[in-house]
Amino acid sequence: MKPRLARGLQDILPAQMLARQRMIDVIRSVYERYGFVPLDTPAIEFLDVLSGTGGEEAQASIFQVANPDNQEVPLGLRFDLTVPLARVIAQYADLPRPFRRYQVAPVWRADKPGPGRFRQFTQFDLDSVGVKSEVADTEIIAAACDTLEALDVGGFRVRVSSRKVLNLLMPFADIPTEAAADVFRVLDKLDKLGLDKVKLELTTGYKDKSGDTIRGLGLSSAQVQKIEQFLDIKADKREDVLVQIKEAFAGLDDADSAIGELEKISKHLAALGYDDDRVALDLSIARGLAYYTGPVFEAVLLDAPEYGSVFGGGRYDNLVMRFLGEAAPATGASIGVDRLLAALVHLKRIKLVNSTAQVLITRFDNDLIDDYLAMAFELRRAGVRTEMYVGTAKRVGKQLKYADQTDIPIAIMMGSDEKEKGTITIKDLAQGREMSKDMSGHEQWKTERPGQFEAPRSELVQTIKNLLTQIEG
RNA sequence: GCCGGUGUAGCUCAGUUGGCAGAGCGCCUGACUGUGGAUCAGGAGGUCGAGGGUUCAAGUCCCUCCGCUGGUACCA
């Protein structure tokens, strides 16, 4: 049997897993600071529970699971965390409302995999169910900002739009409402394709590089002109954008309430200190749009825009109705954990390391094994993450190399010399590596022993703790 | 899903009109029997993605499948 994985699946090896866990811990702590509570649901749901919203095409990208009890009732793997949340809301009538929950879990989509796009990936979701007010949307957007800041991602921008405001485009450009989904799907490509191609796709269509025919929507030039006018609505300041929107859509039905929503969110955010440089109003984001009903937003990293949206969400007031019959207003956001991690590694804002241990105790002399064990457990009991070398390499050189390869910063050595003196030899591997750059030959290396010093055995814990604070700054 | 590119050592890749399977880095061993770096000397490591076909002969040409990749469609 050849070891292999099915298409679009990946293993997450320790170095990446460690970075990812740290990321998840940070996100969780931000969400709990907002008072959100955790939820978990099974990976497997009834297929009809999953596929209700999207119709038949939606089913195409659901992984189906054979039902061992009844083949007539098929099962599937969840493709997001929002639909299971809607089911939970509808199923547990006595859950407190508002229900504000976070959930981090893998989801599956049987789409074509691409770079940074897998068939199993982990989402970290945050949702408020049962709140109609814009305050809930504001909190979600603020939490997105706080999360990105806590993750130290560098520059980012949250772009906020609104499904309701976008809907105004239809009467504004005199386009039938049935065409809305198609128009938005095309407009969503603006970033990727540029205005010229988008215009072609709105009207006559064109042939792309690979020779594929892109079907046009057949809009008139007057309609496209109106769309262009709409796309011209942009400004650095949220207030200026709001003024432009109001001007453009004055007099249209529902314009006041749609715009009012955005205005309130913008004002709340301003009061909290989330300024124009972090949160912008930008009508060019459409976010798939399928189940969104109100404000929508997404966040991009300014230094890695090619990674696309790393954080996105919006209001979806009708999703729960499917199960419940009554409306349950909801708003939320989702982080693509693996995509964000990939972007941060790319930006060198996360360093991948291969070990959890801070200290490696080398096995210098097998007769002293009990001394080594004693040191290891002394450090562990003091809270220092410690590994005693348990591999087969007898030579200390190899053991040090192992520490190097696994990114363990400190090595401890104790042979009979030290034992007699009551001391230990401590090596700061990173410092030694740094100092060795200026060394001429092996003799100097041997005599100077860079990054290495002796300390009394009795002061083991304190010495290591001091060195760790020094290293980890 | 559709159109194209690509697959050779752990990694990055070279490989001529079809004619003995290669390099750099990494890894292992030693110089250095109490020390990760550097230097030097050796060494291991490949069913050339898989299967089939053409040929005296296939990494090289042809077909099918799989993976990766660029574009496109989809993305609840």
Side-chain angles (χ1 to χ4, degrees):
Chain A
M1 175 64 67
K2 196 178 174 184
R4 67 219 153 92
L5 278 175
R7 182 178 164 81
L9 302 180
Q10 62 169 347
D11 296 309
I12 301 176
L13 299 178
Q16 201 192 341
M17 198 60 198
L18 284 167
R20 177 194 162 101
Q21 279 177 345
R22 273 196 301 273
M23 231 176 88
I24 286 172
D25 287 345
V26 168
I27 299 168
R28 185 181 7 244
S29 78
V30 172
Y31 290 178
E32 290 192 354
R33 213 188 306 154
Y34 276 73
F36 286 76
V37 293
L39 172 74
D40 196 31
T41 61
I44 299 173
E45 298 264 1
F46 284 116
L47 195 60
D48 61 344
V49 166
L50 292 175
S51 57
T53 44
E56 284 78 40
E57 314 107 36
Q59 280 209 15
S61 54
I62 296 179
F63 269 99
Q64 295 198 210
V65 176
N67 185 344
D69 299 323
N70 183 354
Q71 292 189 350
E72 304 294 301
V73 188
L75 305 172
L77 295 173
R78 63 174 169 228
F79 56 80
D80 74 4
L81 301 177
T82 313
V83 169
L85 171 64
R87 175 186 58 73
V88 165
I89 293 294
Q91 195 171 336
Y92 300 90
D94 54 353
L95 276 180
R97 301 281 186 94
F99 186 58
R100 301 163 75 245
R101 82 91 178 78
Y102 67 83
Q103 180 168 9
V104 52
V107 301
W108 292 264
R109 294 186 190 179
D111 297 328
K112 177 194 160 191
R117 193 171 154 163
F118 298 92
R119 283 181 159 183
Q120 176 182 327
F121 57 98
T122 295
Q123 287 194 326
F124 206 139
D125 273 33
L126 181 71
D127 294 87
S128 278
V129 181
V131 189
K132 241 183 148 78
S133 157
E134 291 82 6
V135 171
D137 305 282
T138 303
E139 275 197 337
I140 299 284
I141 293 168
C145 290
D146 289 2
T147 301
L148 291 171
E149 249 146 58
L151 288 170
D152 191 28
V153 301
F156 66 86
R157 179 148 304 131
V158 179
R159 303 189 295 177
V160 180
S161 180
S162 159
R163 173 68 193 258
K164 284 183 191 165
V165 171
L166 287 168
N167 280 344
L168 296 175
L169 172 62
M170 297 300 123
F172 176 71
D174 198 22
I175 298 169
T177 32
E178 303 87 69
D182 285 332
V183 171
F184 289 134
R185 180 172 49 73
V186 174
L187 290 185
D188 207 29
K189 301 178 191 173
L190 194 63
D191 271 354
K192 222 166 105 184
L193 297 182
L195 184 60
D196 290 345
K197 285 195 175 167
V198 165
K199 274 163 77 176
L200 280 175
E201 192 164 346
L202 286 171
T203 52
T204 56
Y206 65 101
K207 267 190 202 291
D208 80 349
K209 270 185 247 164
S210 71
D212 249 18
T213 304
I214 310 297
R215 198 169 44 88
L217 297 183
L219 296 186
S220 72
S221 59
Q223 289 169 321
V224 171
Q225 206 182 335
K226 281 289 202 183
I227 291 177
E228 271 192 85
Q229 202 180 324
F230 169 84
L231 291 176
D232 266 344
I233 298 177
K234 60 178 76 143
D236 290 336
K237 291 188 155 195
R238 300 200 292 261
E239 264 181 52
D240 296 342
V241 176
L242 284 166
V243 169
Q244 291 179 35
I245 297 176
K246 282 182 195 167
E247 268 175 29
F249 295 138
L252 290 175
D253 287 350
D254 304 327
D256 288 351
S257 70
I259 298 167
E261 248 176 32
L262 279 187
E263 198 162 23
K264 279 184 205 159
I265 291 173
S266 177
K267 228 160 72 187
H268 292 323
L269 285 169
L272 297 168
Y274 297 94
D275 292 328
D276 292 319
D277 58 332
R278 281 187 294 181
V279 184
L281 287 182
D282 183 344
L283 297 186
S284 72
I285 71 148
R287 293 222 32 87
L289 279 172
Y291 58 33
Y292 291 116
T293 57
V296 292
F297 74 91
E298 64 182 35
V300 291
L301 303 183
L302 296 180
D303 297 325
E306 69 273 20
Y307 282 80
S309 156
V310 293
F311 204 134
R315 177 165 283 275
Y316 51 98
D317 283 343
N318 299 328
L319 193 55
V320 180
M321 222 184 328
R322 200 179 115 210
F323 299 106
L324 211 52
E326 68 171 280
T331 182
S334 179
I335 300 181
V337 171
D338 301 289
R339 186 192 283 189
L340 181 54
L341 179 61
L344 294 181
V345 169
H346 170 79
L347 290 174
K348 298 200 166 84
R349 290 195 156 264
I350 284 186
K351 197 180 152 235
L352 295 177
V353 296
N354 284 301
S355 178
T356 52
Q358 300 164 294
V359 176
L360 179 76
I361 295 177
T362 59
R363 231 161 54 187
F364 214 105
D365 178 347
N366 266 328
D367 292 343
L368 300 179
I369 187 88
D370 284 333
D371 293 274
Y372 303 144
L373 281 167
M375 284 197 282
F377 278 81
E378 221 174 299
L379 286 167
R380 287 168 184 167
R381 282 171 189 139
V384 178
R385 300 192 299 272
T386 305
E387 175 171 348
M388 195 195 80
Y389 185 77
V390 291
T392 53
K394 290 209 179 88
R395 317 182 67 168
V396 183
K398 280 202 188 172
Q399 299 182 28
L400 290 171
K401 200 162 189 173
Y402 169 79
D404 248 354
Q405 286 170 337
T406 52
D407 308 302
I408 300 173
I410 298 173
I412 294 179
M413 292 177 284
M414 183 179 80
S416 48
D417 293 0
E418 286 94 344
K419 169 88 173 171
E420 224 165 89
K421 283 191 283 180
T423 64
I424 50 177
T425 296
I426 297 170
K427 232 175 158 42
D428 175 341
L429 290 155
Q431 199 198 352
R433 198 178 304 125
E434 199 52 43
M435 289 168 72
S436 81
K437 283 179 183 162
D438 302 324
M439 290 197 169
S440 49
H442 192 68
E443 277 308 308
Q444 192 187 1
W445 168 264
K446 252 170 74 177
T447 43
E448 288 187 20
R449 296 292 182 219
Q452 180 173 327
F453 64 95
E454 269 186 58
R457 166 67 180 85
S458 54
E459 292 167 18
L460 166 72
V461 168
Q462 200 48 53
T463 312
I464 292 296
K465 282 196 162 178
N466 290 343
L467 184 54
L468 279 172
T469 22
Q470 197 186 312
I471 291 173
E472 288 163 4

